[in-house]
Amino acid sequence: MPLAEHDSERAGEMREADFLAGGGEMGERIRLHHWATTPLARVSDWPQPLRIAVSLCVKSLLPITIQWGWPDLIVLYNDAFIPLLGDKHPSALGMRLFEFWPELRPTIEGMLETVLTKGTGALSEGLLHVYNCRGFLEERYYTVSFNPIVLESGMPGGSFTLIDNITDRVIG
């Protein structure tokens, strides 16, 4: 593809991502990410429920992450989620969840499978996570709500996951 044609295609794709405007750092990172190299494909091909969920995610002040597709679990997240990722940010964007965060698999895989195969939500209060996100193991407690993102077909496409860090309350 000639460079000018590639630039024109890229500009068109960025216009397609205007629903991310006002979404802070992660809105911009998602808009500029080369999604065509991931299972999500080009932003212009994303289903409307995913676009709406990502727009809500990046504009939220609470930590939110989206895991898209079972069993891929491609990750998108907002600015408020960045501190939870530690040094996994920004490389986590567009990655498969358990490829970059394998220590979460035993704790949340079953809940995500339920959300993405049955379309029912899952809630875990006081969920203990022990993981390495800053070069050492940390113990944290969260209340996590996994919520299905339903496609026009009625099938779940992903999980809209809200996270509340309750570590201070649990330990304190």
Side-chain angles (χ1 to χ4, degrees):
M1 171 183 310
L3 186 57
E5 188 176 324
H6 175 72
D7 289 346
S8 175
E9 181 179 311
R10 188 80 180 120
E13 180 140 339
M14 289 175 69
R15 278 191 304 279
E16 285 285 331
D18 283 348
F19 65 94
L20 297 165
E25 174 187 342
M26 290 313 300
E28 187 67 8
R29 284 187 182 276
I30 293 168
R31 195 169 74 80
L32 296 174
H33 194 76
H34 293 284
W35 292 104
T37 63
T38 74
L40 287 182
R42 299 176 334 155
V43 171
S44 59
D45 296 331
W46 288 6
Q48 191 63 19
L50 176 57
R51 289 170 169 251
I52 292 167
V54 173
S55 178
L56 290 168
C57 171
V58 298
K59 293 174 178 120
S60 175
L61 300 178
L62 292 173
I64 295 176
T65 181
I66 292 172
Q67 300 82 29
W68 191 258
W70 179 258
D72 290 329
L73 302 173
I74 303 301
V75 174
L76 302 104
Y77 55 94
N78 66 2
D79 290 4
F81 191 74
I82 293 171
L84 280 69
L85 285 168
D87 60 11
K88 295 179 187 309
H89 169 72
S91 60
L93 181 64
M95 297 282 297
R96 288 177 169 87
L97 176 63
F98 299 129
E99 282 183 11
F100 75 89
W101 221 340
E103 58 269 33
L104 292 182
R105 177 171 258 144
T107 311
I108 66 172
E109 184 177 38
M111 288 181 276
L112 284 168
E113 183 177 10
T114 297
V115 170
L116 289 158
T117 61
K118 296 183 176 156
T120 57
L123 177 68
S124 182
E125 297 181 78
L127 183 64
L128 170 63
H129 284 259
V130 178
Y131 53 85
N132 180 350
C133 76
R134 289 179 182 74
F136 56 91
L137 288 178
E138 294 183 52
E139 178 181 313
R140 295 187 191 166
Y141 294 87
Y142 298 98
T143 294
V144 183
S145 176
F146 300 95
N147 309 281
I149 301 169
V150 180
L151 299 168
E152 288 91 354
S153 67
M155 300 300 296
S159 176
F160 190 86
T161 305
L162 296 100
I163 300 105
D164 183 19
N165 183 352
I166 60 169
T167 303
D168 291 342
R169 283 182 269 166
V170 171
I171 293 176

